[in-house]
């Protein structure tokens, strides 16, 4: 059984007009099994850095690795939101 893999997610969120209110992350895997989510802590300048530990297991016939989609969503003080999405594959 493959060991879980720890990944680091980093980036920045800015809103020059009203300021950023909050940020959160969610993970969707291709099997619908591992779907962690939670708040993202932002520095004073809007930077973030967090780690996730994701299973490296693959379903039976899957030969191309375990695909994860990670979404970071931020909301500003006015209620507008935006997101950034990245994917990663654990072989």
């Amino acid at each position: 059984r493959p060991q879980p893999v720890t990944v680091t997610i980093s980036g920045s969120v800015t809103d020059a007009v009203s300021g950023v209110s909050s940020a959160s992350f969610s993970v969707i895997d291709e099997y619908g099994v591992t779907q962690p989510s939670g708040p993202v802590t932002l520095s004073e300048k809007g930077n973030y850095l967090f780690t996730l530990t994701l299973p490296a297991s693959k379903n039976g016939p899957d030969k191309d690795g375990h695909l994860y989609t990670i979404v970071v969503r931020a909301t500003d003080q006015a209620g507008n939101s935006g997101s950034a999405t990245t994917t990663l594959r654990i072989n």
Side-chain angles (χ1 to χ4, degrees), residues 43-85:
S43 74
E44 194 174 296
K45 295 183 188 274
N47 297 316
Y48 60 87
L49 177 86
F50 60 96
T51 59
L52 297 170
T53 301
L54 301 171
S57 57
K58 295 185 279 194
N59 280 358
D62 189 346
K63 302 284 189 233
D64 64 354
H66 195 149
L67 180 66
Y68 290 94
T69 301
I70 302 166
V71 180
V72 175
R73 176 171 295 283
T75 304
D76 70 9
Q77 299 288 349
N80 302 305
S81 65
S83 63
T85 303

